[in-house]
Amino acid sequence: MVDAGKKIFTHMKTLITHARVISPGIDLEGASVLIDGKRIVSVLGEEAPAPAADLVLDARGQMLMPGFIDIHSHGAGGSDTCDASLDSIRRIAECKMKEGVTSWLPTTLTLGGGTLRDVCKAVAEYRADRAFAKTPGIHLEGPYINPKCCGAQNPEFVRRADYGEVAALSEIAPVLLVTLAPEMEGAAEFIAEATAAGITCSAGHSAASHADFERAKAAGLKHLTHFCNQMSALHHREIGLVGSGLLDGEIKIEIICDTIHLCRDMLELVFTAKPLEQMIMITDSLACSWMPDGPGQLGGLPITVKDGVARLTESGNLAGSTLRYSHGLRNVHEITGIALSELVKATSWNQAQSLGLQGLGRIAPGFTADLVLLDEGFDPLQVIIDGELAWERE
């Protein structure tokens, strides 16, 4: 394990050899990747001569993919984004990095304005002196949701959508993604204003009808949050948000791939019915991720983790996951058999395209060298961030 804030190597050029390079549309055995500083310079076939480099890393035939981008993660390692502390953000970022995640959006809960401001301050502090996974911005999950669809969110803090509040938070740390219920009063106006400002809006914790969805999409809605969970279900007389997500060819959907939030059959259905270009794998991980079973907290509500499944103690509602990112990819590959060169679109490329994260999501010349090397069990072996070896498994 790398000590906090330290890097294993400082160098100019790195050459990764004998890698199975998997990137959108590419699955190349025995390849080499040359990195100069933070950027990928070239991807070379098995027969190409090896260029000079300051550091050579032998991948030994293992899978090299673009670093994962987790746009929905509340916590890990006993820490929660809403702890609103630098130490907590650092701890979560460290755990995410060990999952192969090179960029993540610290994700909030439905809480008061003061807490959200403190979260943004902690994220800004981490961004100023990053040690582990990068944090390009924040995902506000709530507080502008439907109180009848709170799930594991705290109904005490639900309120009307307020773009002024989000704009003020974004001045502290960039808000890139907001989950809200599009059927609630003022939501359509909020979506239009946020979209104009470059903030991606996602429907979640919502009882929206298909007509509500269409109005929200016309205003700029781009995503559906943790698809199928805490959203209006598919019915033959009202298709709801689940049906809207399957029917619409442009909306992107977040998927928790732990086989708990969506059963194996539903994962297979969604991944075969929906274009891969519109899929986004997430963890929705909680502080209890990377931790043993037992009691915990989520936004002031008690939770219990049993056999790796987190539920609200009182209601039994699912309360996020303990999923590690690379294991979600493994689950989907095992269930669907879809080629990894296609599935990898849903682990970083689609996220980067949707949120405007330039230079991420591909292993190709000119792209940022954010990479993860995985073994045959989809467990990370090495993680490279901005061209530097940030972590390797002991």
Side-chain angles (χ1 to χ4, degrees):
M1 183 64 217
V2 182
D3 291 337
K6 294 184 179 179
K7 299 180 177 66
I8 297 177
F9 299 104
T10 300
H11 53 82
M12 290 298 295
K13 288 187 178 181
T14 298
L15 180 66
I16 304 172
T17 63
H18 307 113
R20 179 186 172 189
V21 172
I22 301 171
S23 184
I26 295 172
D27 191 336
L28 188 61
E29 300 272 4
S32 298
V33 178
L34 181 63
I35 301 165
D36 189 350
K38 295 183 178 181
R39 300 288 175 184
I40 297 168
V41 174
S42 57
V43 179
L44 306 169
E46 190 171 8
E47 303 302 323
D54 303 298
L55 172 68
V56 177
L57 301 174
D58 190 345
R60 302 181 185 276
Q62 304 286 10
M63 298 179 289
L64 186 70
M65 297 184 184
F68 306 136
I69 301 176
D70 194 355
I71 68 170
H72 191 150
S73 170
H74 297 279
S79 294
D80 192 296
T81 294
C82 291
D83 293 340
S85 75
L86 175 60
D87 286 345
S88 287
I89 300 299
R90 284 170 61 92
R91 176 59 179 154
I92 301 165
E94 181 182 20
C95 291
K96 289 283 115 182
M97 178 183 68
K98 290 160 62 178
E99 297 173 17
V101 173
T102 52
S103 294
W104 70 291
L105 301 190
T107 304
T108 63
L109 296 162
T110 296
L111 292 168
T115 301
L116 296 179
R117 285 192 294 274
D118 289 342
V119 169
C120 290
K121 291 174 184 176
V123 172
E125 192 174 358
Y126 176 80
R127 280 164 51 84
D129 187 23
R130 177 190 63 81
F132 305 112
K134 297 188 283 191
T135 54
I138 289 172
H139 176 179
L140 295 180
E141 188 184 7
Y144 317 130
I145 61 176
N146 189 324
K148 296 179 181 179
C149 304
C150 281
Q153 300 269 7
N154 194 334
E156 179 182 349
F157 298 104
V158 172
R159 51 194 181 270
R160 179 182 170 130
D162 180 354
Y163 178 73
E165 179 180 27
V166 172
L169 293 173
S170 199
E171 289 182 1
I172 304 170
V175 174
L176 297 186
L177 180 60
V178 177
T179 290
L180 76 164
E183 74 276 16
M184 302 304 288
E185 185 178 359
E189 293 80 3
F190 175 94
I191 292 168
E193 199 165 1
T195 301
I199 297 172
T200 299
C201 291
S202 184
H205 293 273
S206 165
S209 66
H210 182 59
D212 293 327
F213 165 81
E214 289 189 316
R215 282 190 291 271
K217 190 187 172 195
L221 187 79
K222 296 292 193 298
H223 288 193
L224 299 182
T225 297
H226 45 50
F227 190 60
C228 296
N229 290 276
Q230 288 302 324
M231 65 173 52
S232 43
L234 175 66
H235 188 274
H236 57 281
R237 286 190 293 272
E238 169 51 63
I239 66 172
L241 283 179
V242 172
S244 299
L246 293 173
L247 180 64
D248 190 272
E250 297 174 335
I251 203 77
K252 287 183 166 57
I253 59 175
E254 294 181 0
I255 303 287
I256 307 172
C257 302
D258 60 356
T259 71
I260 297 164
H261 285 76
L262 281 74
C263 71
R264 297 174 69 89
D265 294 333
M266 190 64 183
L267 284 172
E268 183 174 11
L269 171 62
V270 174
F271 271 90
T272 53
K274 187 82 174 169
L276 262 296
E277 289 75 12
Q278 308 305 326
M279 306 292 283
I280 292 178
M281 295 187 199
I282 62 167
T283 62
D284 198 3
S285 66
L286 307 180
C288 52
S289 176
W290 288 88
M291 300 293 286
D293 285 358
Q297 291 280 327
L298 179 67
L301 301 175
I303 66 171
T304 302
V305 183
K306 182 178 180 181
D307 299 327
V309 181
R311 296 183 180 275
L312 289 183
T313 303
E314 293 185 6
S315 69
N317 286 347
L318 281 171
S321 86
T322 62
L323 179 67
R324 301 184 187 188
Y325 199 101
S326 62
H327 294 170
L329 174 60
R330 178 186 64 197
N331 290 341
V332 175
H333 184 54
E334 289 177 351
I335 291 167
T336 67
I338 295 172
L340 289 172
S341 58
E342 288 296 304
L343 287 181
V344 76
K345 296 174 183 177
T347 62
S348 55
W349 176 245
N350 294 343
Q351 291 88 320
Q353 291 298 289
S354 182
L355 299 180
L357 305 178
Q358 299 297 319
L360 299 182
R362 287 186 180 272
I363 302 178
F367 279 74
T368 301
D370 286 356
L371 307 168
V372 56
L373 185 69
L374 302 170
D375 66 17
E376 61 278 2
F378 289 80
D379 288 313
L381 294 166
Q382 294 178 335
V383 175
I384 292 173
I385 300 177
D386 284 341
E388 296 191 346
L389 183 59
W391 175 82
E392 63 181 349
R393 193 168 78 197
E394 296 178 352

